[in-house]
Structure formats: structure tokens, C-alpha cells
Amino acid sequence: MFNKQTLSIFVRHLTKSPVSASINLLGLSIGLTVFILLTVWVKHELSFDNLQVNKNQIYRPSMRMSFGGHVTKISRSQAALLPRLIKDFPQIENGVRLTNASRTNPFVVRKEEKVFEERKFYYADSAFFKVFSFQLLKGSSRSVLVEPKSVVISESMAAKYFGTIDPIGKAIEVNNDGEYLITGLMKEAPSNSFFRPQFIASFSSLPVSRDPSWGPAWHETYLLLKKGADVEMLQAKTNRIIAEVFKNETSAAGDYVRYDFMPFNKLYLSSDALEHETTGNLTLVYLFGAIACIVLLVASINYINMSTALFADRAKEIAIKKVAGAMQAQLTFQLLIESALITLIAFSIALGSSALCLPWFNQITRKQFTSAYFLDFPFIVICTSLYLVLVILVGLYPALVLASFKPTHVLKGNFKTSTKGLWLRKSLLIFQFSASIVLIAGSLVIMKQLEFVQKRSIGYDKDHTIILPIDNKAQTMFSQLQTEFTKSGKIASVARSTENPLKINAAYSINIEGDNSKRQVLVNAMAVDTAFIPTLKIGITTGRNFTNSDIQRYQKDTTLLLIFNETAVKTLLPGKRDVLGAKIDFDGIRGELVGVVKDFNFSSLHKSIGPLVLFSDESQFNWMYLSFGSQDITSTINEVREIHKQLLPHRPFDYHFLDEQYDALYAREEQTARICKLFSILSISISSFGLMGLITLSVSQRTKEISLRKVLGASQKSIFLLISSEFGKLLFVSILIGSGLSYWLANEWLNSFAFKTSIGIIPHVFAASVCISILLLLVLYNVWRASQMNPTKALRIE
């Protein structure tokens, strides 16, 4: 039982080998710290939308389109979809259309002198608060979103624009679209919510609400189904309706438009559609969960190996106690108690370290975790369960080994030369270094892909380009803006487009006149001005760029001039040599093809390049691009800011660099690389502790052999080779297992990219080299220390 004597024995043995005990404790504490931090992150990711009471009954139809073999899946749907489904299917209890146009082009919200750009301004049907469980602090869920130009704001926005004044009944000016009346106040959405609106305006404020059409898919539709509703049947019936609606667009073999009913509770982690909201990644959750378990296992294995090495010095003590009548169960229990105390100390250190590391961990994960997460009841249950498992896992094996040997063997001096349990310790060491090789090689492959992404030409010049959101007022003043920007000497050229070239989402229907199939195809498209192609240095392969006369021509005879990318030509005009002048029905407007540009990536490299159409319609521009040289960036920004302030005082100066936005597309991969790199360092460090324990044990058991070889004339080099060869075999097996597993995992991860680097052998060679170097250094140190011992002292007969 646990008493003062047990505590005294524990302290005595802890202080007998303070360095080894400290290393043992440090390794376990590091492993637990890593596990705790990653568990906090994994738990947070898996808890998304727990706020939503109806999350298991909410489904979102996501559009999937296939044209010319190119498949696209988007989160959005047409405005006419919801009214049709509610009308036809009684299994649907309620529904809401939701759209956030401010995410791509921020809305300007004004309250007197307070003016801010907002990116979380949503429009939603009046049923929003019936479908979703966001808490209304003021206002009625039945009426807050009924009237046009009514808006519900969050607590933080109320404080931002009104301070301590009650905002209900007050008005804010939104995006030069007049005043919106504040009808409700809602509680701030938690961080684990799929969408976190700061403003929710009535969908009836939008013109499309009065005439919902099957045209462009701009909105997301959420359906609240009745309990027991057959989702597969609803999806099948919906797609029969959609097939009829889009029968002209899908007349060719293999073409289709469908809707997949996606469960709301799986959107954050498992959506395969192009999302407007920030999403997680279930694979990443599995990966980080696996890393947490691997690092903890590595630390636990290190503890077992080191404990076995330390406990071997207590063999005679245990043997004498057995001879004196101590029972095996008593001895096992005593050693388990000591393990429980060590684990408790390690847990205490880990919890403290985790709290101290939270700010740094938040920077890596881009989260806002606080120490309050450690007081969460489920987290306490996890930690308590983990503690009990660890006590058994890391303490039971060493305790059973020591408590079960025969006293006669120990008292004759045979215990230290016994190989009992050595196979298990070696197997555990193989696991440790295999895991380390997987983490090291994996992080190197991720870094290699990120370098490939950053260096790969995406088809246009993203460097030295500032991107600014613009509105109707900026449009009317564009000529003056362009003149002032270029006159400053800081800006080389100015261009405009409807969408950011890094993420072109808008879809339009295309029909090639003269095509016997009369096939209509949905393609990505955006309006650009005459300066867009030269400003971004996009290559023209055939034909020409737009001119000012082209825009004037469209205003006169409504002929819209178009430019295709190479993939669009292959998809829409297959086999045609002379494509210029082709007559095209572009979303109901007469069009003519005047040029072809080289393919460029208009989404992340995860996706292949699809058909893209550029058209000349200056009434739709949302973004302005300012291209500058390699001069001082700070002075350039200051100059642009002053001009913007003078000519566009109605909106804040909100700028971004195009190359930084490109890098942001791969923030998740960069985050994964940082975490893998960090934890691979921790894993190899902890594994080194375990290897040191096993080498120390092996060398200490062979001290007499080493001394005898030294007396007989063996060199230190030959002794080094003898010891290192024993562990070299284990490391060779680890390299084979770790390299094979890391290659398979890296290949699976790279398959998520349409454009990817090769894996190569360098990551695996580097990982193996690190492990081999650590092995050689540790063996060299221990052999050197053993060789310094006086042979006569080691060879004396006890």
C-alpha cells in the first residue's frame, strides 16, 4: 500500500540517478504536452456546430456539374430551388437561403463618422433563426428578418458601432444601398461554428427575392427536414426536377447538373464542394490525432526503456525483499505506485507547459484557445482516463519484469546479463524510430510541395500587385483614380475585374452557335477591362486583347466580345483550327470570340484548370489591381493610401498583395508542415532518450566483456563497431518500415493536388541520416565512457 516508506523509497531511487530520472521525466512530460495541445485542437475541430440543435436534420443541396468531362461541385444553388422544394416536398419542415457577398468584396458599413469594411454581412430568409440555433438576445425570431432592409447584428458589432447604446430601432448605412433598420441583437457565434455572421440582413432586401430564378447559383440553401425524412428519396426527386430544368444545358452525353444533399454536421470537416466558408479537414484531424498518439507512444516507450535500465540497478534490492518474504503482488504494487507518482509529476508539468505554450500554439493553428479549455469537463475526463492508462502502460511492464525474476539468478549476478524482455524493448525502439522517420520525411515532403506551389508559374504575374475592392462610386471615378495612380510614378498600370483571379467562382451558360447538338455548358467566367491581361502579364496565344471600342460596341449593339482560355477552346470548340470569330450565346447574350489566352490557375493547385471565359463588361467590376515595380513598398502604399483617401473618402483603404493572397490559399498546408516539423523534432528527441537508455543498459551489461576485450588488445574502434552493429540492425529495420510508410502517406497526400512535386528519395535519406547520426553519437559516447573505466575494477570477481 502507499505509505511514507513507499514515498521514501521512491524519493531515494529518484535522487540516486538524478540525470537519468530527469531525462525520463522530461521525455514523458514533452509527450504529454504535445498530446494535450493536439487533443485540444482535435476536440475543437470535432465539436463544430454542437450549438445547432437541429444539426442532424439540416441538409444543404450542393450543386454538382459535369460538362465536357470537367466536373465542378459548388456549395451554392439557384434562388428558385428553395421555394420549389418547399412547395413540392412536405418532408421539408423549413428552409433558408443564405448568401455572403461581403466575403469576396467587403461591404462598407457606416454609422455617422464610424466607417468600416465588413466581411461577415449575410443575407438570409426570415426562417433563419428557426432553422439555426443562433441565440437572439433582442427581437423576435418570427419578425426580425421579414421586412426589406432589416438587419440583425451581433454583440460585438453593437459595441463597435453604438457603444453602450441600445441598437434596436437604430439604422446603419450599408454599401451605398441606403439605410438598414436594426431589428435584432444576437449573441456572438462561438468559434466552433461553420459560419459566424456579424450581420444578418433580410433576404427580401435583395431583388432576386422578388423574382427567384434558375439562373446564376449565388446562394446557399439549407433545408430543415422532418424527423424520419428519407434524404435519398428527396435527393432523387430533386434531381429529376433539376434534370428537367437544365435539359437544354445537359443534352450531350456525360453532361449533367445534380444536387447532392450534404448533412450540415459534416460540412465543416468533410465537404468536397467549393465552399465560401472556412472549412476544416477531416484528414488533418486524423493526422494530428495520429501525431498526438504517436508522440505520446514514443514518450511512453522511452519511459519503459529508461525505467527498465534504471530498475535493473534495483534487482538485488528486490531479490533480498523476496528472500525476506515479500510477495510478488506487493512488489508489483510498490513499483506501480512509483510509476503513478512519476506519471503524476509528468502530468502536472505537461499541464503547466501546455498553458504556457497556448499563445505560441494559437499562432500555429490560427485559433484562440484559452486555459479555460483545460477546465472543460470532457477534457478532464480525457486527462483522467489517460493518466490511468499511462500508469498501467508505462509502469506495469517494468514492474512485472522486476517482480517476477528469480532471486537466485540475481544474487548470482545473472540478472544483468539476462536477455529477458530485451526483444520487447528492441521492438519498441523500432516503433519509435519508424514513427520519427515518418514524421521527418512527411514534413519534408509537405515543405517540398509548398516550395513547388510558391515557385510554380501559375500563368500570370502575382508579384508587385496590390488588389483593392471597389464599388459603384469608385467605378464612376475610375478614370480619375487611374490618372492619379499612374501620375504618382509609383504605379505602372491599373486594371479591374469582377472576381479575384485566385478564386473565380461565377458560372455562366455557353452555347456555341452552329453546334448541331445545341449543347449549353456552364463555365467559369469573369468580366475584365482592357488593362487586366497586360497588367497581370497573361499570355495571349491567338487573337487579341479587348479594346475600349469593344466595350463601346457592346453598349451600342449588345455584342459581347469574349476571350477563352486554352482549356475552354479544347472543351467548347474541339478540333476547330480557326476559332476566332466564333459566334457564341453567352448566358443569353450574343457574343463573339476575339482571343485565346494561355491557361492560368484561377483556383488552388489542388484543382486542375477548367474552362474560363473573360468578357468585356465594365458594369460588373468589384476589384482593382495596381501594379508597381520593385521600388520601396512602404512609400508606394503610403502614396496609394493618400490618393485613395482623397478620391474615395467614403470607404476605408483595405488593400492586399496578390502574392500574399495566393500564399493564403495554402495556409492549411503550411500549418501542417509547421506542426509536422515541430513534432518530428520532438519525436526524434524523445526517441533519442529511449535509445540512450537501451544503449546505456546494453553497455552496462557488457562492461566486463568490453574491459576484457580492451585487456586483450581490442581497439576502441572495434568495440564501437561491435556495439553499433547490434543497434544498427534495429535502425535498419526502422528505416525500411518508416520509409515505406512515409512514402505511401506522402503519395496519398500529394494526390489531393492536381499539380504536385515528386516525392524523391531525399526526404527519406535525410530522415534516415538523422536517425543514424543520433545512433552513432550515442553509441560512441557510451563506448567511450565504458572504455575509460579501469579494467581491473570491472574484471574483479564479486
Side-chain angles (χ1 to χ4, degrees), residues 44-45 47-52 120 122 128 132-134 188-197 264 268 277-279 367:
H44 180 266
E45 292 295 286
S47 69
F48 258 71
D49 295 306
N50 284 345
L51 163 75
Q52 304 299 336
K120 294 183 179 181
Y122 290 71
F128 179 83
F132 296 106
S133 303
F134 294 101
E188 209 74 25
S191 61
N192 58 345
S193 178
F194 181 57
F195 40 78
R196 289 180 284 166
F264 179 73
Y268 177 72
E277 304 297 336
T278 301
T279 58
K367 300 288 186 181

Side-chain angles (χ1 to χ4, degrees), residues 624-655:
M624 181 163 55
Y625 307 85
L626 308 179
S627 175
F628 60 95
S630 57
Q631 68 268 22
D632 182 55
I633 295 177
T634 302
S635 63
T636 300
I637 294 298
N638 290 336
E639 185 79 22
V640 170
R641 180 185 284 108
E642 285 302 313
I643 296 172
H644 188 280
K645 184 178 179 180
Q646 293 174 12
L647 299 181
L648 301 175
H650 68 286
R651 67 180 302 146
F653 179 62
D654 180 26
Y655 73 94

